[in-house]
Amino acid sequence: MGKSSGMQKFQANFTRIAGKIAANKLLLTLRDSFIIVAATSMIAGFAIMIQNVFVDPTNGLIFGKQGLGLGRLIAGSWAAWSTTGLFKGLTTVGNLIGLVSNGSLNTFAVLLVVIFSHTFSRKYFPKSKEHMTSVLYALGAFFICMPWKFQYTPDGAKKPIDVLNYIDTTFFGTKGVFAALLISGFAVWIYNKILEKNITIKMPDSVPPAVARSFESLIPGVVTMGVFIILTGLSTTFTGETMPELLLTALQKPALAISGTGLFAFVSQTTWSLLQWFGIHPTSIWGPIFGLTWNINDTQNMLGQAQHIYSTLFMNFSTVAAGSCSVSPVLALILFSKRAAAKKVSKISLMPAIFNISEPVTFGLPIILNPLYFIPWLVAQPLAFYIGLFFTKVGFIGPIVNNVPWTVPALLSGLLYTGSIKGLIVQAVIVVVTTAIYYPFVKMDNKLNPDIAKEAAMDQAHKESEKELKTSQA
């Protein structure tokens, strides 16, 4: 009774605290912003996957050396293949597909300024008449703070040259993520606070609303821009760096360094499944954190700028669709359960599970808040993550650089994530091991809830009653 009461108290406290964190307005703003901007990243990732896996004539899955090797079959040798028109055509198509990155990944920070400032304005200043004006001044503040003077080393040159009155566009990408969020958020806050204090130019009622709002935004806008001009001056005067450079050094690099540790990975993977077991969607808490860390790693991997192992792409690959890996408990139930209800749930859940939709089994069995399945549910995700990590560390597969839609079934997604049959093999190992984890607990469920035995007894009793009835009638 005491243990049960203690467990219930722990569940209640954990759910309450996690629920409060998940409902935090700033975290929700960050989460929603990253989810929206992720649409462009997904398109870019999909394009890069097509480029790397299907079109690449050198290392692709279809024509290249890592896949079916159709290039050599067509031309007779790899040397001859590289001189064919098809090889050059595929290279050109691949380069054109790669341009998608210029409108998404390479401008990630700029897109984030737009999305975050709009989301921030809507959540924190819902009474604002025009949220897009906030976006306008956030963009203005961001470009004010950009380095307009920097050093550049041309190809073949030995010394860098000073470039004046041009933006250092490297901060448009992943290097400018923290700057984009902090500058745009602060700009929106300043602008709307002045609006709320009604320090604006008032126009007569006869003036059209759109024109009146433009004049209304002038004083708050001028003050907002002025603040960032002053901040830029202070930053460059006292530190020698612009604000994006300063934020990159002081905040972004330390955050990325922490997210690259094994401890960060362990905490994220264990708490991810723990939150799911309590019925709390882990994206609400980890989404904003990953947005500031592992998502940056994703983008750098997709652009070929780095080869980070820890990333959300790697998590999606190894734990299958961000930890859902729903096919594992479903397979375990189909193979080992003797309970009629569990069998029925598993059969209904099979098709959604193939496409990584876990709700039918997690809520239908249920697994959520079910003490019997607490251990396998908690263990399966970190175990899958570390199996993937092992195969990456030993060099069997490389860091994940392709972005694959989360609904792509396991095994096929492994093939696409890595662009290699080895990715399929690693996911097959993960699915087998995580399915096996559920075996003793399904057997335990059979013993604790022997509904088949009960049904068999009921059937037997029914048959005996029918037999007695027939005997009495005779």
Side-chain angles (χ1 to χ4, degrees), residues 94-126:
N95 292 336
L96 290 173
I97 293 174
L99 292 177
V100 175
S101 299
N102 290 342
S104 50
L105 302 180
N106 287 327
T107 54
F108 187 80
V110 179
L111 298 175
L112 203 53
V113 169
V114 175
I115 300 299
F116 180 72
S117 56
H118 189 259
T119 309
F120 188 85
S121 179
R122 287 181 59 194
K123 285 192 182 293
Y124 281 85
F125 303 99

Side-chain angles (χ1 to χ4, degrees), residues 92-423:
T92 302
V93 171
N95 292 336
L96 290 173
I97 293 174
L99 292 177
V100 175
S101 299
N102 290 342
S104 50
L105 302 180
N106 287 327
T107 54
F108 187 80
V110 179
L111 298 175
L112 203 53
V113 169
V114 175
I115 300 299
F116 180 72
S117 56
H118 189 259
T119 309
F120 188 85
S121 179
R122 287 181 59 194
K123 285 192 182 293
Y124 281 85
F125 303 99
K127 293 180 181 177
S128 175
K129 297 174 185 173
E130 184 56 83
H131 296 293
M132 283 309 294
T133 312
S134 298
V135 176
L136 185 68
Y137 288 112
L139 268 173
F142 182 70
F143 284 111
I144 284 173
C145 297
M146 280 286 108
W148 285 80
K149 174 188 174 184
F150 59 96
Q151 290 191 322
Y152 171 72
T153 306
D155 291 339
K158 294 182 179 178
K159 292 184 178 179
I161 59 173
D162 289 331
V163 179
L164 301 175
N165 296 323
Y166 286 92
I167 294 181
D168 184 357
T169 55
T170 57
F171 283 95
F172 285 9
T174 55
K175 284 174 67 177
V177 168
F178 273 59
L181 293 171
L182 292 172
I183 292 171
S184 61
F186 190 37
V188 171
W189 185 83
I190 295 171
Y191 173 77
N192 283 280
K193 281 295 178 186
I194 297 172
L195 269 184
E196 285 181 347
K197 292 186 180 299
N198 220 13
I199 307 173
T200 59
I201 297 174
K202 303 291 188 300
M203 299 299 289
D205 294 339
S206 57
V207 175
V211 177
R213 282 201 294 273
S214 295
F215 277 92
E216 189 180 51
S217 72
L218 284 180
I219 293 177
V222 168
V223 174
T224 303
M225 306 285 250
V227 166
F228 283 94
I229 289 171
I230 293 170
L231 289 175
T232 299
L234 292 173
S235 175
T236 52
T237 302
F238 291 103
T239 68
E241 293 182 321
T242 58
M243 286 180 62
E245 293 168 328
L246 194 61
L247 293 171
L248 177 69
T249 306
L251 296 178
Q252 186 163 325
K253 284 183 177 178
L256 292 177
I258 292 170
S259 71
T261 62
L263 179 62
F264 181 90
F266 177 78
V267 172
S268 67
Q269 296 312 296
T270 51
T271 55
W272 187 281
S273 49
L274 184 65
L275 288 166
Q276 279 186 317
W277 188 83
F278 277 101
I280 298 168
H281 203 299
T283 307
S284 302
I285 295 175
W286 279 105
I289 300 172
F290 283 155
L292 295 169
T293 53
W294 283 6
N295 285 7
I296 295 176
N297 291 352
D298 287 338
T299 306
Q300 291 178 346
N301 279 2
M302 285 190 282
L303 286 169
Q305 296 172 348
Q307 289 199 322
H308 301 288
I309 293 178
Y310 295 136
S311 67
T312 48
L313 290 181
F314 174 75
M315 185 178 77
N316 289 338
F317 159 74
S318 60
T319 67
V320 186
S324 65
C325 204
S326 46
V327 75
S328 298
V330 172
L331 285 177
L333 290 168
I334 289 175
L335 292 173
F336 308 120
S337 180
K338 292 181 179 177
R339 293 182 56 221
K343 280 278 190 187
K344 194 170 184 179
V345 168
S346 62
K347 288 176 183 175
I348 293 171
S349 304
L350 180 60
M351 187 55 69
I354 289 173
F355 293 96
N356 303 318
I357 297 168
S358 61
E359 280 76 7
V361 69
T362 53
F363 290 97
L365 188 59
I367 287 177
I368 303 297
L369 289 176
N370 186 340
L372 188 61
Y373 288 102
F374 175 74
I375 292 176
W377 183 259
L378 190 70
V379 169
Q381 172 158 346
L383 185 61
F385 185 87
Y386 284 107
I387 290 172
L389 186 63
F390 168 77
F391 282 108
T392 308
K393 290 277 189 182
V394 298
F396 187 71
I397 57 172
I400 305 300
V401 298
N402 296 326
N403 195 351
V404 178
W406 65 272
T407 48
V408 174
L411 307 186
L412 176 60
S413 68
L415 189 70
L416 297 176
Y417 270 119
T418 59
S420 164
I421 194 74
K422 294 178 180 177

